[in-house]
Amino acid sequence: NVDIGAGGVKRIVCGAQNYKVGDRVPVALPGAVLPGNFTIKQSKIRGELSDGMMCSAKELGMGEDQSGLLILTGRPELGTPINSVLPPGDTVFDVEITPNRPDCLSHIGLARELAAWFKKDLRYPREIFRGVVPAGADAFAGVRVDNSEDCPLYTAHVVSGVKVGPSPEWMQARLRAVGLRPINNIVDVGNYVMLEYGQPMHAFDAKKISGKIVVRRAFEGEKITTLDGKERTLTERTLVIADDTKALVVAGVMGGENSGIDDSTTTIVLECAIFRAGSVRATSRALALSSDSSYRYERGVDPHAAKEAAWRAVDLIIETAGGTAAGPVCVVGSDIPWQREVVVTSNFLTAKLGFEIPAPEMRSALESLELNVVRENTVAGGVEWTVSIPSWRDDLDRPIDLVEEVLRIYGTERIPPSRVSAIGLAVEDDPVTSFNRKATTYLVGHDFHECVNLTLRPGAEITTWVSATAAAELALINPFVEDQSHLRPTLVMGLLDTLLLNQSRGVAAVRLCEAGRIFLENNGQNFEAAAVAFVIGEDPTRRWKNREGDDFFTVKHHLAALAAFAGVNIEAEPLEALTGPGYGWQEGNSVSAGSLDRGWLARFGLVNLSMLRSRGVEGKVLAGVFAILPENIPGTVQRSRFKEFSLFPAALRDVALVVDSSSQAGAVRSKVSEIALAKAGSTFAVESVDVFDVYEGKGLPEGKKSLALSLVFRSPSRTLTDDEVNAVVQSVKDEIEKTTAYQLRK
C-alpha cells in the first residue's frame, strides 16, 4: 500500500527491495507519461491489480540505475509534484554544426555564440594548474615525435597518487545529458574537457608505458586492441602513439586496452596533442572506426587552446581523483604563432547587406564574437576597422566573411522590407552552353542516348587511336591514376567504352552522343574546343526495329545539323578523305572538313574496324565529331518565339537540273532556294527546297549529273491554285536558265 497524500492510499505492485517503510519515492499514477512516451495504465501484475508504478532513476530519465527505486532525500510532503522535488533539468541544444565551424563542437564554442546573441559576458573556466610541477623523480622517460608533420604539437602531463573510482554525480549527469556513458573519474574528465574545449585527450596508466612515448607510423601488419575490444590490423600509413615495445593508441581516433586506466592505476600520463586532420581522417576511414575524438580532429582542432585544455584537465583530475601534478611536463613541437587581421569598412558592409546598420552597432556585433577591432580609422562616408580574427575562427579571412557575422548578430528578422530588385536575365546565354544544349537536344530527339564521360583518358589509348605526338602534348604532369593521365582529344573513345558496355550487357542503346570539351594540338600549341560527337553501333538484340538505313549519309546529315548550330555550313565545304590511323577512322570510308586554322573541324564516317575489334566492340560503328573553338561560336542567341503555321494544303513541284559532276548538291539547292524566294515574293511562301535524287550515267553528257529538287509552296491564308503555282515555278525555271550554268532536264 502506497500513501500518495491527498489521493489516498493506492495498491501498487513493485519488485524493488531497496526501500523501507516511510521512504519517499516517486510514484507515476495511471495516465502519467514517462520518458520514452511510456504511458502508465492500471494493470494486473502477478495476478494483483496495480494502480501505478514506483519509479527508479532510469525510468525518470535521471540516470542509468534501475536496480531499485529512487529514494528521495529531504522527506518532501506526500503528494508533492515530482517536478518541484527533483533538481531542474538541463537545457539540451540539438545543433547541426557545419564543417567550417569546428569551434562549435565544444561548450565554450557554443557559449561564445550564445553570449554574443544574448549580449552577455562569457566566463571561461579557471585553470589553477599552470604547468608548473615540483622538482622530483620523473614518472616516465619522456616523449619522442618521429612524424612532426602529422603531429606538430604533443604535450604530456603527469598526475601521481590518483585514486580511480566513479566521477562525481554532477559530472556523470552532464555526460549523460549529451549521450556519453560515465566510465571512471579519469576517463570522464578527458571526455568532459573534450566537450568543454573541443580538444580530445587521452590518459595512459604510467606503469604500462615501457620507456618513452613515441609518435610514429605503425609497422605494416602491426596489431592493436582498441578500447572497444576489437583487434585491428594497422598499416604503415597509420599514425600511432607507442612506447618502446608496442602501439598504445591509434592517434586521434581511439586508445588501446594495453595502456588503459583501471582500478589499480595510481599515476597517469595525460596526452593532449594536435594531429593533422587529413591523417586522422584517412585512419578513421581505413579502419572503419569513428569516435568523438576523430570527429573533432577531422574538422580541425584549435592548436592554440591545447595548453589551456590540458591544464583544465589536470585541475579536474586532482579535484575528482586526488593526486598531485608531477614531472615531467613534456612539450614537443609548438603551435604556429597566430595573427590574422581583416580590414573592412562600414561602407562595404552596408553595400553587401543592402540596408543601413549604424557603424557602432556593426562594431558591437563583431566584438561580441571576440572579433576585436584593433584599429579604427575614418574614411570617406564611413569607418574602417582592422579586425583581429581569433585562432578558433579559421573560416574568416576576407572582408566578405564578416558580413554574415554582423548580420546574424544584428538579426535577420530586423532586415527592413523592400521591393525585390534583381538583374533581369539576358536573352543571350553563354555561346558554348547554348551550342551544347542545342546539339544534345537535337541528337536526343533523333533517338540518341546522351552520355557524360570523364575528360581524362589513358595515355596508351591516345597513342594508339590518335598519335604519339598528341599523347605527349596532352599528358598531365601529376595524374591521380594511370588510366586518367591525359586530356582527351576526342569524344569518340568515351562513347565507344559506353557502346562496348551496352553490347556486353545485351542492351539495345547503341546510338550514343555526348557534348563536352576536347583538347587538340595544332602547330605545337594546345587548344580547348567545344565538341559534340555521336556513334551508331549495331544492336546486339537484333530486333525487328533495327535501323537498316543508317549509313554514311545519315552521319553526314546529323553532323551538318550540329555544325549549323555553330554557324558552320558543312554542306558547302569541300570534303577530304581521311588517311592513316589518326583518330581511329577507317581509311576510304571517312572524311574530314575544316581545320583548326579555320577555327573548326569535322570528322565523320566509319570507325576503324581492326581497332574496334582490338577494343572488343562488335560490328560496324559509324561516328561523327564536330569541334569548334569557343570564340568562333556565334554569340547571339535568338529567343524562341511561337510562329503561326498555315492550316492550308501545300503545293509540290519538282525541278530536274543538269549540272557539272563536281557541283555540290548543297550549293545547287541554296541557289534554287534563293531564286524561288525571289520569284514567289509576298504572294505565298516557299516552305522548302530539297534534293531528292541524283543521277549520273546514260543519257547525260560526260562530266554531268542530274539533280532532282522538290519545291514546296504554301499560303498562310488560302489554298493555292495550280495556275499561280505553275506561273511561279515557270519563272523560277526561266531565271535558272538565264542566270546560272544549270540546264533544265527535259
Side-chain angles (χ1 to χ4, degrees):
N1 292 327
V2 180
D3 188 351
I4 61 170
V9 177
K10 300 290 185 180
R11 186 174 181 83
I12 298 177
V13 178
C14 178
Q17 299 180 0
N18 67 322
Y19 66 91
K20 61 183 182 295
V21 175
D23 280 343
R24 301 294 199 266
V25 298
V27 174
L29 298 176
V33 180
L34 299 184
N37 203 30
F38 177 64
T39 303
I40 302 299
K41 300 177 181 178
Q42 188 182 60
S43 58
K44 278 193 174 183
I45 301 176
R46 302 187 189 94
E48 297 290 338
L49 189 66
S50 180
D51 286 328
M53 183 176 75
M54 293 186 285
C55 303
S56 66
K58 185 172 183 178
E59 289 161 340
L60 295 177
M62 297 182 59
E64 297 297 320
D65 186 9
Q66 59 179 353
S67 60
L69 299 179
L70 175 61
I71 308 299
L72 302 175
T73 59
R75 297 188 61 79
E77 291 293 326
L78 298 178
T80 303
I82 192 65
N83 286 340
S84 62
V85 175
L86 297 176
D90 290 331
T91 299
V92 178
F93 292 94
D94 187 1
V95 293
E96 183 175 349
I97 308 301
T98 55
N100 67 321
R101 293 299 305 274
D103 59 300
C104 289
L105 294 174
S106 66
H107 283 70
I108 290 177
L110 289 177
R112 289 192 192 103
E113 296 293 314
L114 294 172
W117 179 255
F118 291 110
K119 296 179 174 55
K120 301 288 187 181
D121 292 333
L122 176 62
R123 290 179 297 172
Y124 285 89
R126 182 172 65 94
E127 300 100 14
I128 301 172
F129 173 71
R130 305 292 294 178
V132 179
V133 297
D138 290 345
F140 77 115
V143 175
R144 185 182 83 240
V145 176
D146 293 343
N147 291 83
S148 58
E149 180 182 351
D150 290 333
C151 181
L153 175 63
Y154 191 96
T155 69
H157 295 77
V158 179
V159 181
S160 61
V162 300
K163 181 174 178 58
V164 177
S167 55
E169 184 57 39
W170 62 267
M171 182 176 289
Q172 293 190 39
R174 294 183 183 182
L175 293 175
R176 291 191 190 100
V178 295
L180 292 185
R181 180 174 60 90
I183 306 297
N184 58 53
N185 44 13
I186 306 298
V187 175
D188 291 355
V189 165
N191 288 333
Y192 188 90
V193 175
M194 176 187 70
L195 294 169
E196 191 172 53
Y197 279 79
Q199 169 64 57
M201 52 189 63
H202 182 74
F204 302 93
D205 187 333
K207 68 175 179 294
K208 298 178 181 178
I209 300 174
S210 301
K212 284 189 174 183
I213 287 179
V214 182
V215 182
R216 60 169 172 82
R217 295 286 187 185
F219 307 122
E220 189 67 34
E222 188 172 7
K223 298 182 184 298
I224 184 174
T225 301
T226 48
L227 290 173
D228 58 0
K230 296 181 180 179
E231 184 180 74
R232 303 183 185 275
T233 302
L234 310 178
T235 70
E236 59 185 6
R237 299 185 62 181
T238 307
L239 190 70
V240 296
I241 313 302
D243 60 16
D244 291 344
T245 62
K246 59 188 179 297
L248 304 173
V249 175
V250 179
V253 181
M254 188 175 288
E257 286 187 342
N258 55 7
S259 62
I261 305 299
D262 57 36
D263 292 344
S264 65
T265 300
T266 58
T267 301
I268 66 165
V269 178
L270 182 68
E271 164 194 290
C272 184
I274 301 298
F275 300 113
R276 185 171 62 87
S279 173
V280 176
R281 187 180 302 112
T283 298
S284 178
R285 300 297 184 274
L287 297 178
L289 177 61
S290 182
S291 64
D292 289 322
S293 174
S294 66
Y295 186 82
R296 285 162 173 79
Y297 275 124
E298 288 177 22
R299 285 153 180 79
V301 171
D302 180 12
H304 307 276
K307 179 173 64 175
E308 287 78 8
W311 292 351
R312 170 68 166 162
V314 170
D315 284 341
L316 288 175
I317 288 171
I318 294 173
E319 178 184 339
T320 60
T324 57
V329 174
C330 293
V331 179
V332 180
S334 63
D335 58 346
I336 300 172
W338 175 269
Q339 183 177 6
R340 179 182 294 175
E341 294 179 347
V342 175
V343 178
V344 67
T345 67
S346 58
N347 295 337
F348 176 84
L349 294 172
T350 299
K352 296 303 180 183
L353 290 170
F355 64 95
E356 291 277 353
I357 297 178
E361 197 163 354
M362 289 182 179
R363 174 169 179 164
S364 176
L366 292 171
E367 293 191 324
S368 68
L369 291 166
E370 300 190 32
L371 308 176
N372 297 320
V373 175
V374 295
R375 285 184 298 278
E376 178 176 299
N377 299 312
T378 301
V379 295
V383 183
E384 179 186 82
W385 296 301
T386 301
V387 182
S388 175
I389 308 299
S391 60
W392 59 82
R393 290 304 305 272
D394 192 42
D395 58 310
L396 304 178
D397 58 6
R398 302 172 300 166
I400 192 65
D401 296 331
L402 302 182
V403 176
E404 181 183 355
E405 303 304 308
V406 169
L407 179 59
R408 65 191 184 89
I409 297 302
Y410 178 77
T412 54
E413 74 283 354
R414 297 172 64 188
I415 298 176
S418 63
R419 178 174 296 180
V420 176
S421 60
I423 299 174
L425 296 177
V427 173
E428 294 82 8
D429 201 350
D430 177 73
V432 175
T433 302
S434 178
F435 168 69
N436 289 344
R437 186 185 304 121
K438 284 184 175 182
T440 52
T441 300
Y442 170 84
L443 289 169
V444 169
H446 284 79
D447 201 26
F448 286 86
H449 296 265
E450 184 180 1
C451 303
V452 179
N453 292 300
L454 295 175
T455 57
L456 301 177
R457 306 295 303 178
E461 177 187 70
I462 295 177
T463 300
T464 302
W465 282 73
V466 185
S467 68
T469 301
E473 291 290 336
L474 300 176
L476 300 182
I477 294 177
N478 185 26
F480 287 114
V481 291
E482 184 178 357
D483 62 350
Q484 296 175 24
S485 59
H486 288 63
L487 297 172
R488 65 184 177 187
T490 178
L491 300 172
V492 172
M493 293 182 289
L495 293 175
L496 291 178
D497 284 347
T498 307
L499 179 63
L500 175 61
L501 178 65
N502 288 348
Q503 287 185 345
S504 66
R505 300 290 192 273
V507 176
V510 294
R511 294 168 64 86
L512 309 172
C513 68
E514 181 176 4
R517 295 170 297 168
I518 62 172
F519 304 86
L520 302 171
E521 183 272 336
N522 186 48
N523 297 327
Q525 288 184 294
N526 291 330
F527 295 88
E528 179 179 329
V532 60
F534 58 87
V535 298
I536 304 174
E538 293 186 2
D539 188 346
T541 60
R542 297 175 180 161
R543 295 180 295 180
W544 64 269
K545 68 175 183 177
N546 283 358
R547 295 174 179 265
E548 299 294 342
D550 290 332
D551 56 14
F552 174 88
F553 296 102
T554 304
V555 176
K556 179 183 177 183
H557 170 76
H558 289 316
L559 204 66
L562 298 174
F565 296 137
V568 176
N569 182 9
I570 286 184
E571 293 181 340
E573 294 288 336
L575 302 179
E576 297 180 3
L578 282 170
T579 59
Y583 290 81
W585 298 100
Q586 183 70 32
E587 188 172 351
N589 291 275
S590 54
V591 297
S592 68
S595 67
L596 272 187
D597 291 332
R598 297 181 59 189
W600 65 273
L601 60 84
R603 294 186 176 95
F604 55 97
L606 193 66
V607 180
N608 188 285
L609 294 175
S610 61
M611 298 175 80
L612 285 177
R613 298 299 174 269
S614 66
R615 202 180 189 91
V617 178
E618 299 178 0
K620 298 179 180 179
V621 176
L622 294 164
V625 180
F626 176 79
I628 185 169
L629 299 181
E631 59 269 22
N632 292 333
I633 301 176
T636 302
V637 179
Q638 298 295 327
R639 184 187 294 274
S640 297
R641 295 185 181 277
F642 172 74
K643 184 178 181 181
E644 189 173 350
F645 56 90
S646 175
L647 298 176
F648 295 91
L652 282 69
R653 298 291 187 272
D654 294 340
V655 174
L657 302 176
V658 177
V659 302
D660 292 339
S661 296
S662 60
S663 297
Q664 295 182 345
V668 175
R669 172 186 170 277
S670 297
K671 185 61 178 177
V672 173
S673 296
E674 178 185 337
I675 294 173
L677 288 169
K679 293 301 180 181
S682 59
T683 306
F684 46 83
V686 180
E687 193 166 88
S688 66
V689 176
D690 292 310
V691 177
F692 69 87
D693 184 56
V694 179
Y695 173 73
E696 291 180 284
K698 187 177 179 180
L700 293 177
E702 185 72 22
K704 298 290 185 178
K705 64 182 176 182
S706 172
L707 295 178
L709 297 95
S710 172
L711 286 74
V712 179
F713 303 91
R714 195 190 304 265
S715 170
S717 58
R718 59 187 176 85
T719 300
L720 298 175
T721 66
D722 287 341
D723 290 342
E724 61 183 336
V725 173
N726 291 338
V728 170
V729 172
Q730 186 59 49
S731 66
V732 169
K733 292 179 179 179
D734 294 343
E735 186 69 17
I736 290 173
E737 287 191 313
K738 184 169 59 174
T739 61
T740 71
Y742 311 150
Q743 299 174 1
L744 292 174
R745 187 178 179 191
K746 306 301 183 180

